[in-house]
Amino acid sequence: MIRIAAIALVGLAVAGVSAQQPVFRAGVDLVNFGVFVADKAGTPLTGLKPEDFEIVEDGTRQTVQYFAGGDPENAPPLHLGFMIDMSGSMADDMKDIRTAAIRFLDNVKRVQDITVVDFDTEVRVARFEGDDPRLVEHLRRRKPDGYTALYDAIGVYLTGASSQTGDKILVMYTDGEDTRSAMNQGELLDLLKSSDVTVYAIGYLQRGGSNRLTLQQTLHRLASATGGQAFFPTNLKDLDKMYEKILGDIAARYSIGYLSTNKRQDGAWRDVKVRVLREGLKHVKIRTRSGYYAPYKASEARR
């Protein structure tokens, strides 16, 4: 059955997004991390097993309780978010941008659903099953206009993704700085650190002028907080190569879960280190989140 859900969020009123740290449910929770492993040349390393990984939380080694990935056949369900900047500055390039986006989405494997977020002054969200033919028409329908509410758009997506289970990946495309959001960058970073979504940012910043370096740093900061990456094409022909790189990351991704030995529900930040132990692979490149916020229970937080 084909399903589509749509949410329209107008102006600066961003429904469902809080600038504060989310309150997690009390109880014992499996801590999940998406992990990407590559050799020195950046080639993904697949075929690793649970015993090849070490998870250390605040200096204490943890026991892996859940493991999947490194192989598309054994990976958990994939919930993909695709975010596209529809502000007025995108008008001249929108045809090429849409074409590259559609090719990317056509090549995503094992996707359970795709949440499309398009934004300008407003933020709009639609969720499709992976094979829904209306997805392409949805991408083609909107016309570029208005300002750039980038931070609010990411916040809206994170709120919607919080109830999903499995791998959650957000691929976002923008050509400039945020000019409209109610949320600021610090508040958004807190939300990103509180989520288990991996963000890949593509910034086409050729019109960024003197702000280009600042914009690159911002997108790097947002993506790296989640274990993702930021890419900066110098021309639109580079888009397909960058989307191919993201597809390779998704296919080679490991999902690792554990039950923390720290049972306190104080909402505090916990640092997590992921290492590869297999002989000969101790100097590999690992991308993942740097930690997470513990579950929260008011009586324990006051101690």
Side-chain angles (χ1 to χ4, degrees):
M1 180 182 297
I2 295 174
R3 296 177 292 114
I4 176 171
I7 305 169
L9 299 165
V10 182
L12 296 180
V14 182
V17 178
S18 171
Q20 298 177 348
Q21 177 186 325
V23 176
F24 291 79
R25 71 183 187 276
V28 178
D29 292 286
L30 191 72
V31 182
N32 292 293
F33 277 74
V35 180
F36 176 79
V37 184
D39 62 19
K40 293 181 179 180
T43 303
L45 293 176
T46 59
L48 297 177
K49 302 182 183 302
E51 58 268 25
D52 294 321
F53 288 90
E54 179 184 58
I55 311 294
V56 178
E57 179 187 298
D58 285 341
T60 301
R61 187 170 181 174
Q62 307 295 313
T63 300
V64 174
Q65 305 283 344
Y66 172 82
F67 183 88
D71 174 4
E73 296 299 320
N74 298 315
L78 171 61
H79 304 283
L80 179 67
F82 189 82
M83 182 178 298
I84 188 165
D85 185 343
M86 297 296 292
S87 58
S89 59
M90 299 283 287
D92 292 342
D93 302 319
M94 185 50 64
K95 180 179 178 181
D96 291 333
I97 292 165
R98 282 198 183 105
T99 299
I102 291 168
R103 277 198 294 263
F104 166 71
L105 293 172
D106 281 344
N107 285 296
V108 178
K109 307 300 182 185
R110 69 174 180 88
V111 63
Q112 181 166 316
D113 52 62
I114 299 173
T115 301
V116 178
V117 183
D118 67 88
F119 65 95
D120 41 47
T121 307
E122 304 173 0
V123 179
R124 294 162 295 271
V125 182
R127 181 171 293 169
F128 302 86
E129 289 188 350
D131 58 353
D132 191 330
R134 290 177 292 179
L135 173 59
V136 172
E137 181 58 31
H138 181 82
L139 288 173
R140 289 175 174 162
R141 187 169 61 240
R142 294 212 58 85
K143 305 296 183 184
D145 190 26
Y147 295 95
T148 306
L150 173 64
Y151 298 164
D152 284 354
I154 298 172
V156 169
Y157 171 76
L158 294 176
T159 299
S162 62
S163 61
Q164 295 178 308
T165 57
D167 279 347
K168 291 177 275 188
I169 294 173
L170 173 63
V171 179
M172 65 180 192
Y173 183 99
T174 184
D175 74 338
E177 64 183 320
D178 190 297
T179 59
R180 195 65 173 183
S181 291
M183 181 181 298
N184 63 41
Q185 187 180 142
E187 292 166 342
L188 176 58
L189 281 168
D190 282 343
L191 280 179
L192 287 167
K193 290 168 68 176
S194 299
S195 79
D196 56 355
V197 173
T198 302
V199 174
Y200 291 91
I202 298 177
Y204 185 60
L205 308 178
Q206 299 311 299
R207 300 183 185 88
S210 60
N211 288 333
R212 188 182 303 177
L213 179 58
T214 300
L215 296 174
Q216 286 184 347
Q217 291 172 338
T218 295
L219 293 181
H220 270 304
R221 192 176 299 118
L222 297 178
S224 63
T226 70
Q229 280 189 298
F231 302 91
F232 303 98
T234 56
N235 61 73
L236 294 175
K237 294 180 180 179
D238 291 339
L239 275 177
D240 284 331
K241 296 178 183 178
M242 294 177 181
Y243 282 133
E244 287 174 9
K245 175 67 169 62
I246 294 170
L247 287 171
D249 274 24
I250 293 173
R253 174 185 172 95
Y254 295 92
S255 293
I256 302 175
Y258 66 93
L259 296 174
S260 175
T261 56
N262 184 350
K263 304 305 180 185
R264 286 185 58 81
Q265 299 173 26
D266 55 6
W269 176 258
R270 297 178 181 175
D271 285 308
V272 175
K273 305 294 184 187
V274 179
R275 304 186 183 101
V276 173
L277 301 177
R278 183 184 289 188
E279 190 68 29
L281 295 181
K282 294 185 178 180
H283 299 291
V284 296
K285 299 176 182 178
I286 298 174
R287 277 192 281 105
T288 188
R289 294 186 289 150
S290 61
Y292 71 101
Y293 284 109
Y296 178 83
K297 188 175 181 180
S299 59
E300 292 198 20
R302 288 193 294 267
R303 291 180 186 175

